[in-house]
Amino acid sequence: MRASHTYDVTVKWTGNLGSGTDSYRSYSRDHEVLADGKAGIAASSDPAFRGDPARWNPEGLLVASVAQCHMLWYLHLCAVGGVVVTDYQDHAHGVMTMDESGGGGRITEVVLRPEVTVADASMEEKARSLHDDVPAVCFIARSVNFPITHAPVIRVQQT
C-alpha cells in the first residue's frame, strides 16, 4: 500500500469592499491563505490583475513552491552524499505566458538560480551535479507541466 499525505488549507476572501462582486472593479482581490497552526499568508492577485503588490499572489507562491522543493531535496541529497552545504539561497524566476485572448495564461517556465556554499573545494563538482538529480524526486517538479531549469552557482566557504 502506498503512503499518502494530505494538506488542508483554507483560502478566505477578505476583499468585499461593500458591494461584493457587483462589478469587476467593485471588489478587492485580497485574501488569506490559512492552515491550522501556521501563520496566515496575506495574498492577492498579481498587480496586473488588480491585485495588491504588497501581498503574495498565486503565481509567486507557485514559483516559491518549486524553489522550496528543489532546495529541500537538494539539501537532503547533499547530506546523504557527503556534501556539506553551509549556505543556500535561490533567486527563482517564473514566467507566465498569457493566451491569445488575454483572458488566461499559464506558467511556462521556472528558472532556479541557487547560490550554494560548500565547506570544502573537494565537494564543489558533486555539489553542482546533485542539482541534476533533484527533478526525479522533487514532488513539485514531478507535478507540474512546465519546464524547470536550474543554473547553480557553487562557492567554497571562505575560512
Side-chain angles (χ1 to χ4, degrees):
M1 183 169 156
R2 289 186 185 179
S4 63
H5 304 275
T6 61
Y7 304 90
D8 298 307
V9 299
T10 299
V11 176
K12 181 179 179 184
W13 178 48
T14 59
N16 184 345
L17 300 177
S19 62
T21 59
D22 183 50
S23 72
Y24 181 74
R25 298 183 189 285
S26 69
Y27 65 96
S28 166
R29 277 56 175 176
D30 290 359
H31 58 279
E32 292 187 6
V33 180
L34 307 164
D36 287 344
K38 295 178 175 65
I41 299 172
S44 190
S45 63
D46 184 283
F49 309 110
R50 303 188 53 78
D52 182 344
R55 291 175 167 243
W56 282 95
N57 60 60
E59 299 85 355
L61 289 168
L62 179 58
V63 173
S65 292
V66 169
Q68 287 174 279
C69 189
H70 183 93
M71 178 194 70
L72 293 168
W73 271 106
Y74 177 77
L75 294 174
H76 169 80
L77 294 174
C78 286
V80 298
V83 175
V84 178
V85 174
T86 61
D87 192 40
Y88 184 109
Q89 67 177 329
D90 189 344
H91 302 283
H93 174 75
V95 176
M96 183 171 74
T97 303
M98 302 304 292
D99 65 20
E100 293 77 29
S101 70
R106 66 183 203 88
I107 301 294
T108 53
E109 73 172 312
V110 170
V111 178
L112 303 177
R113 294 179 240 159
E115 297 175 7
V116 179
T117 303
V118 296
D120 187 81
S122 66
M123 302 171 180
E124 197 170 353
E125 190 50 44
K126 187 166 186 181
R128 186 176 320 287
S129 70
L130 284 174
H131 283 284
D132 295 332
D133 296 342
V134 173
V137 290
C138 170
F139 56 90
I140 299 292
R142 293 171 49 142
S143 300
V144 299
N145 66 354
F146 51 81
I148 300 168
T149 58
H150 56 274
V153 173
I154 309 297
R155 296 185 179 97
V156 177
Q157 181 176 322
Q158 301 298 314
T159 56

